[in-house]
Every structure is written in structure tokens, then in C-alpha cells.
Amino acid sequence: MMTINDIQSKTLTDLFEKYPFLPGFFEEHTLDLNESLDIKLIDYLNFLDEEEEQENRAMDKTQVLESMCIYIDQMLEFLGEDEDDGVHSITLLPGTNKSGEAEMFEELSIKKSEIVCIVGPTGSGKSRLLADIEWVAQKDTPTSRSVLINGEAGDKKWRLNSGNKLVAQLSQNMNFVMDLTVYEFIELHAQSRLVEDVERVINKIFEQANDLAGEKFELTTPITSLSGGQSRALMIADTAILSKSPIILIDEIENAGIDRKRALDLLVGEEKIVLMATHDPILALMGDKRIVIKNGGIHKVIETSDEERKLLGDLERMDAVVQNMRTRLRQGEIIQKEDIGF
């Protein structure tokens, strides 16, 4: 809960940067912002007291500060951005598989900027694992698992408040139906998040998306005409930079036609917890851990070993050759035996 001490010594510049919606409070209360913003809030209010007769103002300085605290708390709750409620880790506690047998692990903690891969046959229970995490399961799902947030039982807000979605999902198939350009799509999302510098965010997402995409696109490109890979690249960049969900699930990114390693680096760089369902050995070994799903339950949790990381380098070199061949084939070139290189 916000207090007067939390805000009165901060400059208006710092407050507006941290709370982009705050200028709306000043506008609603007809508080003039013509002066420099590099002034502490308390000094600004003292200056107003000197400029105006106290009786001509609807609220005194203390009332303004109290109202501002309430305003910030309400806006943060509306946006799902409680100051002290950041997700630093999630912990899975075991339940049972489809046969009612206990899962084969004691406890699994996943921290910010970690990548955890989920592997297993189709229909093995990967989606159920995601659903348990998204629901913040408390032994009240078919698996009887429990999910802790920051080491404690999850707050009900993760279940009931649509503004506090714990998990953002990036599925294999991306089909846009809105008649918008790439620019308009990103702008709409940025404005809904009350971003202060919308243009900077639009350009950042656009640049990151083009870095990921196999084929470049423009800000003026209609989103309905983007290819599958371009759509996936746009949504990964948009999710990494604008989504407030602390956990990202990616379903089979290997089929997306994008730069997989850059996509993961982008998500991890934005301090997301990344859960990735994959059949790709390169992606599986890029993770810090991998969860093996079998018969609806977590059969095994494997830490990526140093030996596997060494093998990853070999796999990446082979993959680079394959990617190069793919690019050359697309450009109509002929592939020779000597181009293989191994």
C-alpha cells in the first residue's frame, strides 16, 4: 500500500517515469505542470501553497498526497502491477499421474530468467502442467499438484483478476483477425498498458521482431498478411516487452520459422520465467532444466549438465549449416556436397 513517505521526496520526473498514468491525477485535480518536473513532489506542493491562497484550493497539501497514494494504488491494482507482488519464483509440489501414482520429484523451483523445457510425447500432459501453473493449483486440479508463488501459497488474484494473468501463452498457430497495421497493433497494446513513450516502445518491438523473423516486414504491413514466422516473431517481441505476465509458455518454437536463440535471449533478458514445450534437442539443451512428462505426471526433472552444454555447441554448428542451406534453397541456389562441411 502506497504511503506519503513513498512519494513526497521523489521528483515529478521520477514519479511520472515510474507511474506513467500519474499525469492524469494532476489533470483531474487541475494541478499546473508548467514548471520544471525536476522538483520534488513536496517542494512542488509547497510552491503551489505559496502561489495560491489556501482557501481557494479544494484540498490542502496533505489531502493531495493522500489522494495521490490512493490513486496510485488503484491504478496499480487495475493494471495488475502491485508494487510488492512481483513474481520472483514459482515452485511446483508433486501430485499424481493419470494412474494415481506419485510424481517422481520432491519440489521444483523456477526463478526469473530461467528457461525450463517440457518434453514428452503428444498427449502426455504438458498442457495440464501449464494449466496447473496458470490456475496456481492448490491440490484442487486433476493432478493434485500445488503451485507456490515466491515460496508461498498463491494469492487469489492470480486466479480471479484478468489483469494479473500469471501465464502468457504463445501457441504454434498465430492467426490475426483484426484489420490493423503492425504499427496500429503495437500502438493499441502500448496504449492499453498506459505506456508513457509509445513511439519508443513501438520501434523497440518492431526492431526486435524483425531481428527474430526470417523475412523482414514493415510497420505499415497489415498484420493479417504476416507469415506464420513473422506473426510469431511479432508476438514474442510484443509479449517480452509489453506483457505483464511473469511466466511465458512457448509451444514448439522450432516450428515458428524464427531465430530461436534470439527469441529466448529476448524473453530471458526481460526477466521472464520461460517454460517451453519442445521436441528440438537444441532448444531442450538450451534450458536450465527439462521436465519429462509421462502418463500425465512429471516423471523426471533433469538439470542440463556441463557435458550436454558442450554437445550443444556441436549441435548448434550443425544447425547453422542446415539453416544456411535452407536460406540458400529459398534463394534458388544449388546445394553441393562440399557445402555440408561435416
Side-chain angles (χ1 to χ4, degrees):
M1 185 174 183
M2 192 67 57
T3 68
I4 290 176
N5 287 334
D6 292 330
I7 60 175
Q8 65 178 355
S9 297
K10 296 184 182 298
T11 67
L12 297 180
T13 298
D14 290 340
L15 288 169
F16 289 175
E17 182 175 345
K18 189 169 185 178
Y19 310 114
F21 50 78
L22 197 52
F25 176 89
F26 284 75
E27 183 176 346
E28 288 177 17
H29 294 83
T30 61
L31 298 172
D32 190 2
L33 286 174
N34 291 333
E35 300 296 324
S36 170
L37 299 182
D38 292 323
I39 181 175
K40 290 182 179 179
L41 176 59
I42 190 65
D43 293 335
Y44 165 81
L45 294 175
N46 286 335
F47 176 77
L48 285 186
D49 282 345
E50 294 173 3
E51 290 290 301
E52 301 181 32
E53 292 291 336
Q54 186 66 39
E55 57 267 21
N56 292 333
R57 297 197 34 215
M59 297 189 294
D60 62 28
K61 179 172 57 182
T62 301
Q63 290 173 319
V64 170
L65 288 168
E66 289 174 346
S67 295
M68 190 178 297
C69 288
I70 294 171
Y71 181 86
I72 292 173
D73 281 336
Q74 290 176 339
M75 288 300 295
L76 290 175
E77 182 179 0
F78 172 74
L79 294 170
E81 298 178 22
D82 264 347
E83 291 279 277
D84 300 322
D85 288 349
V87 175
H88 307 293
S89 70
I90 61 170
T91 301
L92 301 177
L93 301 181
T96 59
N97 64 17
K98 292 177 181 177
S99 301
E101 300 165 336
E103 292 185 296
M104 305 298 288
F105 74 105
E106 293 183 5
E107 165 180 307
L108 173 60
S109 291
I110 309 169
K111 299 177 181 177
K112 283 196 304 186
S113 298
E114 280 193 332
I115 300 172
V116 174
C117 297
I118 306 170
V119 299
T122 300
S124 59
K126 297 188 289 293
S127 296
R128 181 66 260 173
L129 173 59
L130 169 68
D132 284 351
I133 294 172
E134 189 169 20
W135 180 243
V136 194
Q138 301 296 316
K139 296 185 177 180
D140 55 356
T141 68
T143 64
S144 297
R145 293 186 188 114
S146 295
V147 177
L148 307 181
I149 305 296
N150 299 333
E152 300 178 351
D155 192 289
K156 288 183 179 179
K157 72 170 188 177
W158 297 115
R159 293 183 168 190
L160 305 176
N161 190 337
S162 61
N164 279 301
K165 288 194 68 176
L166 190 65
V167 175
Q169 297 190 47
L170 294 170
S171 64
Q172 291 185 59
N173 301 312
M174 295 279 175
N175 296 311
F176 292 108
V177 295
M178 301 175 70
D179 186 19
L180 298 172
T181 64
V182 170
Y183 180 93
E184 291 167 337
F185 172 77
I186 305 173
E187 179 186 41
L188 188 64
H189 191 189
Q191 289 175 341
S192 73
R193 295 290 181 185
L194 299 182
V195 170
E196 184 175 18
D197 192 345
V198 172
E199 288 297 323
R200 181 186 66 80
V201 170
I202 290 173
N203 289 323
K204 183 178 179 181
I205 292 173
F206 173 69
E207 290 170 6
Q208 293 284 7
N210 263 321
D211 281 344
L212 300 178
E215 185 178 351
K216 307 299 181 187
F217 55 92
E218 303 296 330
L219 281 170
T220 54
T221 303
I223 57 175
T224 50
S225 68
L226 294 176
S227 68
Q230 290 171 330
S231 299
R232 198 74 174 276
L234 176 59
M235 288 308 302
I236 287 174
D238 182 86
T239 299
I241 294 167
L242 275 178
S243 174
K244 300 303 179 184
S245 298
I247 302 172
I248 308 297
L249 176 91
I250 308 175
D251 189 15
E252 298 191 17
I253 195 175
E254 59 264 33
N255 298 330
I258 62 172
D259 190 318
R260 299 163 294 178
K261 188 174 188 306
R262 284 189 179 182
L264 293 179
D265 288 343
L266 174 60
L267 291 165
V268 169
E270 296 294 329
E271 297 192 324
K272 305 289 188 182
I273 293 172
V274 180
L275 292 168
M276 176 172 55
T278 184
H279 301 289
D280 186 330
I282 292 178
L283 291 174
L285 296 184
M286 281 182 182
D288 300 286
K289 305 180 183 78
R290 56 188 183 272
I291 298 173
V292 182
I293 304 292
K294 188 176 181 180
N295 191 30
I298 296 177
H299 177 67
K300 190 183 296 185
V301 178
I302 303 172
E303 298 263 357
T304 304
S305 67
D306 291 338
E307 181 64 24
E308 287 178 324
R309 294 192 187 282
K310 291 177 183 177
L311 291 173
L312 176 60
D314 295 331
L315 289 172
E316 286 178 324
R317 283 188 288 274
M318 288 188 282
D319 185 62
V321 173
V322 174
Q323 296 295 337
N324 181 54
M325 287 185 181
R326 181 178 288 121
T327 299
R328 292 176 60 184
L329 285 170
R330 285 173 174 169
Q331 294 173 348
E333 298 182 24
I334 305 297
I335 303 298
Q336 307 291 334
K337 183 177 180 180
E338 55 267 24
D339 294 328
I340 297 178
F342 57 83

